[in-house]
Every structure is written in C-alpha cells, then in structure tokens.
Amino acid sequence: MNVVDSSCWLEYFAGSKVGEAVAGAIEDIPSLVIPSITLYEVFKKLLVETNEDHALLAVAHMKQGWVIELDADPGDLFCEDIQRQQISVS
C-alpha cells in the first residue's frame, strides 16, 4: 500500500522533482491509499492557487485509488481490504 500525503500530491501535480520522485507510488493505482483529509487539503490548496476545474480534476485523479474515510473502523478497513484484494484477483 502506498499512502501519499497532500504535499507530495501537490508536488506531483506541479510536476516538480519531488513530484517525479513520488510518481511511482501515485501511479501504482491498485496500491494507492488516500486518506479523505488529503482530498480536502489538495482540493483547498489547488482551488486557491489555480481554479476550480483544475482542483476537481486533481481530486478525480486521486479518487482512482482507495479513499479511506477518517472515521472508518479498523475492522471495516480490514474487510474492505480483503474485498479489494478479491476483486483485483478475479
């Protein structure tokens, strides 16, 4: 599993050297885990620095991974992970 924080996502979308360094983790969609707070942080920052369309496209890209809600129960996360693995194997 690859958990990428908001600063790395912002670097990735900016096309910086740091963004290039984390691109492998971000582009490995089956292993990508995104905490829901990261969606909010990236959207908020891009909305201020660019525009709504760019911010929405970025979030749509991020949502290709597995979004984890912060209020999720650890047991629920385990079950979701098992289901996810079964889907990718099928």
Side-chain angles (χ1 to χ4, degrees):
M1 288 188 187
N2 299 325
V3 180
V4 180
D5 76 354
S6 56
S7 64
C8 290
W9 277 105
L10 292 167
E11 294 291 336
Y12 176 78
F13 291 129
S16 72
K17 291 198 182 275
V18 172
E20 290 175 14
V22 298
I26 288 174
E27 293 168 1
D28 182 10
I29 302 297
S31 299
L32 185 59
V33 177
I34 302 99
S36 59
I37 189 70
T38 304
L39 292 173
Y40 169 76
E41 291 170 343
V42 170
F43 179 79
K44 182 178 168 186
K45 183 74 169 172
L46 291 177
L47 188 60
V48 170
E49 292 187 355
T50 62
N51 59 49
E52 184 178 6
D53 288 340
H54 190 241
L56 288 171
L57 283 172
V59 168
H61 178 80
M62 294 170 73
K63 284 183 161 183
Q64 292 179 64
W66 181 26
V67 177
I68 303 282
E69 299 298 326
L70 292 180
D71 62 347
D73 180 273
D76 293 342
L77 296 177
F78 177 74
C79 291
E80 286 180 30
D81 187 38
I82 296 298
Q83 290 174 341
R84 189 176 161 94
Q85 289 176 20
Q86 288 174 345
I87 290 169
S88 65
V89 171
S90 301

